[in-house]
Amino acid sequence: MGLRMPFGGEEMTATDDHADFIRGLPKAELHLHLEGSLEPEQMFEFARRNRVSIPFRTVEEVRAAYSFSNLQDFLDIYYEGANVLRTEGDFHDLACAYLARAAADGVRHVEVFFDPQTHTDRGIPFSVVADGFLAALDEGAKRFGVSGGLIMCFLRHLDEDAAFATLDAAEPYLDRLLGVGLDSSELGHPPSKFARVFAAARERGLHLVAHAGEEGPPDYVREALDILHVERIDHGNRALEDGALVARLRETGMTLTVCPLSNLKLRVVDELIAHPLKRMLDLGLRATVNSDDPAYFGGYVAENYRAVARALGLSRDELAQLARNSFAGAFLDEATKARHLAAIDAYLEGTAAAS
Ligand code: HPA
Ligand code: ZN
């Protein structure tokens, strides 16, 4: 419970105050899997309208199944859930619902992942997925003022030829995609497995990111940097085990897209008070806070900020630094970044005056 303080004639807890501060803080989200925003209610709705059977009778049953002991546990159920997504309208509605929630959390810009192979491997054309998501991003910009881009991830448990086939399927869309990423089961599937396809994506002018150091060792983070030439590391927690790597990440200003509630749910950390986010900030790393797969991990981006703020006792300055990092690490031009950073400054001035 927070301290009780007088505020505008009404009583308000310090914890509530932090919640309001976080919600209003302009921020970007850089690590969000659109398929991971599929809420149980939507799963039932899409299953009904597409006449797909699912192994659950109630929303409560679905939520009860969301208990994971590691990344693979989660991935098994996540890929099964994605099976209800069939039409362009489904992909559009899924992404629109996410963007509405993000906007309500103070998000001004998103760079979101999708997993084309999860859909093309069950006969859904690449165009159905991409057209639905791209239409939603256009709509999100108009309706909610949230700008955004799509990052297509290769599934690392599949081989590199399959990743190349995905890059080929994406060819007509390349000018509308922001970049490529690498996700799915990390252990046993090092970044080096995808060296050639990342080089091909780079030649096509796409931005490059990769999940590394979530469950995999610091060497996977090194491979992502040296072999794939990524511009951001998704997660990166285990980089902290290697001092020389930490120094390098700090010196190069490498962005880490950290996902606290995901780390808790997938047992990357045993409890949030042991989460390395504050340590990352103290080490001078450009850490950001993100929600990863919010429908499965129990919270969208503002809830991730709130949960770590509570567990680690983060100050307003640290929360603002995390928000600044999110724009600094985004694939935006310098003028647009400066505009977002100025919005954070204006917000801080406004909230300082009000408190
Ligand atoms: N890690 C790896 N693959 C994923 C994740 C993740 O956190 N979420 C969705 N696919
Ligand atoms: Zn992820």
Side-chain angles (χ1 to χ4, degrees):
M1 274 279 104
L3 289 172
R4 297 197 80 79
M5 306 189 299
F7 188 89
E10 282 179 74
E11 288 225 314
M12 190 175 189
T13 66
T15 320
D16 291 338
D17 182 38
H18 243 20
D20 287 344
F21 174 76
I22 287 167
R23 198 178 312 111
L25 184 62
K27 57 184 81 62
E29 180 150 52
L30 306 179
H31 186 153
L32 177 286
H33 302 261
L34 285 169
E35 293 90 344
S37 71
L38 178 68
E39 291 288 341
E41 291 81 0
Q42 288 173 305
M43 195 188 292
F44 279 100
E45 168 63 13
F46 294 141
R48 188 193 56 74
R49 73 190 193 194
N50 294 324
R51 299 179 204 285
V52 177
S53 72
I54 53 175
F56 304 107
R57 280 169 308 169
T58 63
V59 164
E60 291 68 34
E61 258 184 44
V62 181
R63 292 202 196 279
Y66 291 176
S67 165
F68 315 112
S69 22
N70 54 38
L71 174 59
Q72 192 59 51
D73 254 15
F74 154 70
L75 290 170
D76 292 343
I77 203 160
Y78 162 83
Y79 294 131
E80 192 171 313
N83 187 39
V84 301
L85 300 165
R86 298 287 164 105
T87 68
E88 187 180 318
D90 298 340
F91 293 102
H92 166 271
D93 293 354
L94 178 68
C96 267
Y98 160 68
L99 290 167
R101 286 173 183 267
D105 272 359
V107 172
R108 307 283 178 89
H109 177 72
V110 299
E111 295 178 2
V112 290
F113 300 132
F114 73 116
D115 289 335
Q117 289 156 296
T118 298
H119 313 298
T120 53
D121 282 1
R122 56 194 177 85
I124 314 283
F126 185 95
S127 59
V128 166
V129 184
D131 286 340
F133 284 152
L134 287 168
L137 286 176
D138 282 349
E139 199 175 316
K142 291 195 196 98
R143 271 174 63 192
F144 310 119
V146 177
S147 58
L150 269 183
I151 298 176
M152 137 177 127
C153 286
F154 301 122
L155 297 181
R156 68 201 303 160
H157 67 274
L158 302 178
D159 64 23
E160 195 181 33
D161 286 347
F164 266 112
T166 303
L167 189 60
D168 284 346
E171 196 72 46
Y173 289 85
L174 290 186
D175 57 348
R176 282 170 285 167
L177 295 181
L178 196 54
V180 301
L182 187 64
D183 67 2
S184 190
S185 323
E186 187 178 6
L187 288 171
H189 303 286
S192 50
K193 182 175 160 187
F194 296 91
R196 293 177 313 134
V197 75
F198 266 66
R202 193 176 182 209
E203 273 170 26
R204 287 164 175 73
L206 292 164
H207 286 293
L208 309 176
V209 300
H211 284 54
E214 180 183 18
E215 288 188 342
D219 265 354
Y220 281 24
V221 176
R222 269 217 184 74
E223 283 193 10
L225 297 171
D226 292 333
I227 300 178
L228 302 187
H229 303 288
V230 297
E231 298 158 85
R232 291 198 295 252
I233 295 287
D234 297 315
H235 294 294
N237 301 45
R238 289 197 60 194
L240 297 192
E241 295 168 21
D242 182 325
L245 183 56
V246 168
R248 175 176 176 187
L249 293 171
R250 178 178 53 238
E251 279 152 26
T252 55
M254 182 60 54
T255 298
L256 306 180
T257 65
V258 181
C259 305
L261 290 174
S262 164
N263 293 159
L264 180 67
K265 289 289 158 66
L266 300 187
R267 313 265 182 100
V268 169
V269 295
D270 291 332
E271 45 185 351
L272 269 189
I273 56 167
H275 195 279
L277 185 74
K278 185 168 160 49
R279 199 144 49 91
M280 289 171 169
L281 290 178
D282 291 346
L283 287 165
L285 297 178
R286 190 188 277 172
T288 62
V289 167
N290 308 272
S291 66
D292 208 4
D293 302 283
Y296 292 87
F297 301 148
Y300 286 76
V301 69
E303 184 54 34
N304 275 268
Y305 274 78
R306 281 193 289 275
V308 271
R310 264 194 306 269
L312 305 177
L314 300 184
S315 65
R316 280 191 179 201
D317 278 352
E318 286 167 321
L319 294 167
Q321 186 61 47
L322 290 164
R324 282 198 189 92
N325 290 351
S326 71
F327 291 113
F331 298 133
L332 290 168
D333 61 55
E334 292 306 316
T336 308
K337 283 186 191 185
R339 198 162 41 71
H340 285 298
L341 295 173
I344 293 179
D345 290 339
Y347 178 72
L348 296 178
E349 273 175 37
T351 49
S355 61

